[in-house]
Amino acid sequence: MASNNLESNYEDVDSSPHTPYSPQCASNFHLLDNNSASSNSHIRSNNDSNQLHRASDLLMAVSVCTEGNRLRITELVNAAMDELTNLALDGDPLWKPQEDDQDQADSYYTLMDIMKMVEVGETQCSDLLDLEIDNTKSSSDYENKTNFGHDEDKQQERHHLRTEFSRQIAYVRMEPLRIVGFFMDLEQWSFVFSDIVARATILKSWSSMEPVGGNYNGTLLVMRAEFQIPSPIVETRESCFGRFCKQLAPYTWGIVDVSLEDLFPYPLPVGFRRKPSGCLIQASPNDLSKVIWVEHMEVDQQTIMVDQMYEAYINSGLAFGAKRWVSSLVRHCTWEATLMAKSCSTLNGVLLLQAGRSSVLKLAERMTKSFYRNVSISKENPWIKIPFPGPQDIRVVVTPNLNDDPGRPPCTSVVFSTSVHVPTNPKHLFHYLRHEKSRNKWDILSYGHVITELSCIINGTDSRNRVSIIQVNSAPRRIEIFYLQESFFDESGSYVVFAPVDIYAMAVVLRGGNPDYVAILPSGFAILPDSPRMNGEEDVADGSILTVALNIIDHSVTQRVPFQSMVSMHRIMTETVASIKGAFNIQQF
């Protein structure tokens, strides 16, 4: 289907189209145009940047292989483990509200003297983590902007540096060694924390013993990773760091990360450093593990620029702080428990067999992980800004299926995305976007259609966290399309991710077939609080930052996006955002 036909399909939406149409199902959507020199140059620039990063990775990998550097890294991570343990186990609040009102616009909290920490010593008891901690204050309030220099001149030199510090405690239903394995295995770490980890690689690893049975005690990894929030307009944070695993006591492990850029020559500007960060993990009764997570970062505000819309969210500590990491870990452990359960809660009385439920959950998990990857602004995503005036900054990324991935259509996918402010509570917006009855109000391609949730799998104890199979009808007894949808929320944000699934593929999955061979292209929404604030134990906000990402496929595109295609995508996105915003002018939840 040519791009001008795409436009005509959308023009016909209001007049009850006779055939089903979805942006994810478009085929032959031509994105080739000789006038797209700007997009081509952007891609070349991105390729040059990737080559530079690969060169820096190679340089770092060669540097860390020497015996002298290994000893330097070992000394650094051991000191970092001591500091992490002190920070995690300190019983006093680490921060307090700032009393000086002179600079309220730039700082909400001031970090107390973090060097005055308790001495843990050589504690070797199984209740190492059972110290009393003021969890309400220490896990919910965040230090945002602080200069560590005691000398005035040093403070002036470092005025553009911001320190972010957070601590969070959680209990998860999983044994400690399994959680340790999540961190020390790159594939598992990237999978469990895929909403945060955009890209990661191991440059070097050393181990004092083989990781038999998942015991990684003494293992040291040198890694590079990019950390993201779900938006195409917020720059990722990239760091090279050492990761060290140590068994601190019986049934208690520590995992610490610390940046290495200061130890080695680095050809690129360093805008982000991880101070000693990580977690302590201890076995607890009833098959639980107690996790104390600490995130300690230093950000160069001159190198890493932040869009004004995201400043309050990032400065609150939710964006890259301990609470978000812990929420991701808890969500994954809940997903695994649902996956292994012999029965599962449902609201509509339609029960799926365990094999079918397992396949549906795995397909939904892959769909959601792909959504995170699509909407990221990592080095692998060369986003192109659509050059049209308007309130939305709409961007496009073209991704060919070069690896013949059976989980994607054998053609190029095109994702266009934007982030906007919606003046309504994040919970209200999440409820509206996840509910099937609202779909034909914001999806311009579903006007006039009857939409039904056929079945759902509740993930955990809250019915809003669910995987749904949605059926779209344009006429009685005429099935147009199936959607697989996952909706979930945590303390740092909420998501609604969906993708059309062929009726025959859906039948295979429901019978327990392998979901890895189902081609799926996710679209969806990420909903973040615009200016989080504490209300007792709960983070609340009056407004939301909504990221919309729509995914289409193409059988002929290589790299460039033609002008007419951009016109079509700009119109689709503009109307979708306008429909969502318009709904809250008349609806109250």
Side-chain angles (χ1 to χ4, degrees):
M1 182 180 298
S3 57
N4 58 343
N5 290 335
L6 173 68
E7 183 71 17
S8 64
N9 271 279
Y10 277 91
E11 291 175 352
D12 292 340
V13 165
D14 294 335
S15 58
S16 300
H18 298 289
T19 57
Y21 194 81
S22 170
Q24 298 84 8
C25 298
S27 60
N28 292 323
F29 177 28
H30 298 298
L31 298 180
L32 290 173
D33 185 44
N34 293 330
N35 297 323
S36 300
S38 61
S39 62
N40 192 35
S41 63
H42 184 98
I43 293 172
R44 287 199 303 269
S45 174
N46 184 79
N47 290 336
D48 293 341
S49 177
N50 285 338
Q51 291 176 2
L52 183 59
H53 278 81
R54 285 193 292 269
S56 66
D57 287 351
L58 179 61
L59 175 63
M60 184 70 74
V62 172
S63 299
V64 300
C65 287
T66 65
E67 180 64 19
N69 285 335
R70 184 185 70 83
L71 294 176
R72 294 170 66 195
I73 297 173
T74 301
E75 181 180 356
L76 179 64
V77 298
N78 275 289
M81 181 66 76
D82 292 340
E83 182 174 343
L84 172 70
T85 305
N86 289 340
L87 296 175
L89 299 181
D90 181 20
D92 296 326
L94 298 179
W95 35 86
K96 62 181 179 181
Q98 181 172 337
E99 298 177 356
D100 184 6
D101 296 334
Q102 184 177 359
D103 195 23
Q104 287 184 348
D106 293 330
S107 180
Y108 303 104
Y109 299 95
T110 298
L111 183 64
M112 299 177 66
D113 189 359
I114 64 171
M115 301 307 296
K116 297 178 181 178
M117 298 296 170
V118 296
E119 291 296 329
V120 178
E122 299 297 327
T123 305
Q124 293 293 325
C125 58
S126 62
D127 59 346
L128 177 64
L129 304 189
D130 289 336
L131 300 179
E132 290 296 328
I133 295 180
D134 186 344
N135 190 28
T136 299
K137 297 180 180 178
S138 65
S139 67
S140 301
D141 297 335
Y142 298 86
E143 186 278 330
N144 295 297
K145 298 183 179 182
T146 293
N147 295 319
F148 278 107
H150 299 290
D151 181 83
E152 183 177 354
D153 294 335
K154 188 174 181 181
Q155 288 186 1
Q156 292 178 354
E157 293 176 0
R158 296 168 61 87
H159 72 278
H160 57 279
L161 298 179
R162 185 180 75 248
T163 296
E164 299 173 358
F165 202 110
S166 56
R167 180 172 63 188
Q168 180 76 6
I169 301 174
Y171 289 87
V172 296
R173 191 166 296 281
M174 187 167 288
E175 60 180 11
L177 280 177
R178 181 75 189 284
I179 300 174
V180 170
F182 290 162
F183 289 90
M184 306 310 293
D185 182 277
L186 180 68
E187 184 176 353
Q188 290 191 67
W189 184 60
S190 300
F191 180 80
V192 173
F193 301 103
S194 58
D195 58 327
I196 306 174
V197 180
R199 189 171 62 108
T201 184
I202 293 178
L203 303 178
K204 182 65 178 177
S205 65
W206 293 281
S207 177
S208 61
M209 63 178 65
E210 292 297 323
V212 178
N215 188 349
Y216 290 91
N217 183 39
T219 299
L220 171 61
L221 306 176
V222 176
M223 307 176 66
R224 183 183 301 285
E226 283 185 75
F227 305 102
Q228 66 177 354
I229 62 176
S231 173
I233 65 174
V234 179
E235 187 176 352
T236 58
R237 296 179 173 185
E238 185 173 10
S239 177
C240 179
F241 55 93
R243 170 168 294 174
F244 182 53
C245 174
K246 182 178 180 180
Q247 186 167 0
L248 302 173
Y251 312 108
T252 303
W253 286 262
I255 308 288
V256 68
D257 296 343
V258 61
S259 285
L260 302 178
E261 283 90 354
D262 291 338
L263 294 183
F264 305 99
Y266 195 66
L268 300 174
V270 178
F272 167 67
R273 286 178 172 85
R274 299 197 79 187
K275 300 299 184 179
S277 303
C279 62
L280 304 187
I281 308 164
Q282 180 200 27
S284 296
N286 301 320
D287 298 324
L288 296 174
S289 292
K290 182 178 183 179
V291 178
I292 303 178
W293 200 301
V294 171
E295 281 296 316
H296 185 186
M297 297 162 282
E298 188 175 77
V299 182
D300 187 336
Q301 299 178 96
Q302 293 182 342
T303 302
I304 299 181
M305 307 301 292
V306 177
D307 188 277
Q308 185 177 4
M309 181 167 45
Y310 284 89
E311 281 185 352
Y313 177 70
I314 292 176
N315 291 341
S316 72
L318 283 178
F320 297 99
K323 180 174 287 188
R324 187 172 174 219
W325 285 96
V326 168
S327 295
S328 297
L329 176 63
V330 171
R331 186 170 64 247
H332 179 79
C333 293
T334 302
W335 176 82
E336 285 204 358
T338 304
L339 186 70
M340 302 302 295
K342 294 183 178 180
S343 61
C344 189
S345 300
T346 181
L347 298 178
N348 48 23
V350 179
L351 296 176
L352 301 178
L353 297 177
Q354 184 174 12
R357 187 177 70 249
S358 175
S359 293
V360 170
L361 286 171
K362 290 178 180 179
L363 181 59
E365 185 76 356
R366 178 161 64 85
M367 173 185 69
T368 303
K369 305 297 185 188
S370 180
F371 173 79
Y372 296 142
R373 184 172 59 251
N374 288 346
V375 80
S376 166
I377 196 172
S378 73
K379 302 298 185 298
E380 296 179 345
N381 282 356
W383 289 96
I384 305 166
K385 184 176 180 179
I386 294 183
F388 296 153
Q392 280 85 46
D393 179 1
I394 302 173
R395 304 193 180 193
V396 181
V397 65
V398 178
T399 307
N401 187 4
L402 300 177
N403 299 322
D404 296 327
D405 183 357
R408 292 181 51 196
C411 54
T412 297
S413 67
V414 182
V415 180
F416 52 111
S417 179
T418 190
S419 295
V420 298
H421 181 263
V422 180
T424 191
N425 182 278
K427 290 185 178 180
H428 297 166
L429 182 58
F430 170 69
H431 176 76
Y432 176 77
L433 293 174
R434 77 166 184 85
H435 204 286
E436 72 279 2
K437 300 301 182 183
S438 305
R439 187 178 187 93
N440 56 12
K441 298 175 183 177
W442 57 259
D443 183 0
I444 63 175
L445 299 174
S446 296
Y447 292 161
H449 290 52
V450 177
I451 303 175
T452 307
E453 184 184 53
L454 292 181
S455 182
C456 73
I457 303 169
I458 298 175
N459 191 14
T461 57
D462 195 307
S463 62
R464 293 171 294 182
N465 293 337
R466 65 207 293 179
V467 175
S468 303
I469 299 173
I470 297 174
Q471 174 183 298
V472 180
N473 295 341
S474 63
R477 298 184 180 181
R478 181 179 178 184
I479 299 176
E480 297 291 354
I481 195 170
F482 283 105
Y483 280 102
L484 181 66
Q485 176 176 293
E486 181 171 11
S487 60
F488 59 92
F489 72 96
D490 58 37
E491 295 179 330
S492 63
S494 54
Y495 301 83
V496 180
V497 184
F498 56 88
V501 180
D502 179 83
I503 184 173
Y504 301 105
M506 181 64 75
V508 171
V509 171
L510 291 175
R511 291 196 299 267
N514 188 351
D516 293 339
Y517 293 95
V518 176
I520 195 166
L521 289 178
S523 297
F525 306 99
I527 306 163
L528 307 177
D530 61 350
S531 53
R533 60 187 185 277
M534 289 303 300
N535 181 14
E537 292 294 322
E538 185 179 15
D539 292 300
V540 297
D542 295 327
S544 305
I545 304 173
L546 173 66
T547 294
V548 185
L550 301 178
N551 203 338
I552 62 177
I553 63 176
D554 178 81
H555 294 286
S556 60
V557 65
T558 54
Q559 290 182 337
R560 293 178 285 183
V561 183
F563 178 79
Q564 186 59 40
S565 299
M566 288 189 177
V567 172
S568 300
M569 289 182 284
H570 184 269
R571 182 180 174 219
I572 295 167
M573 185 63 71
T574 301
E575 292 190 14
T576 300
V577 170
S579 298
I580 295 171
K581 286 188 172 182
F584 288 93
N585 291 333
I586 59 175
Q587 293 186 15
Q588 297 294 327
F589 290 89

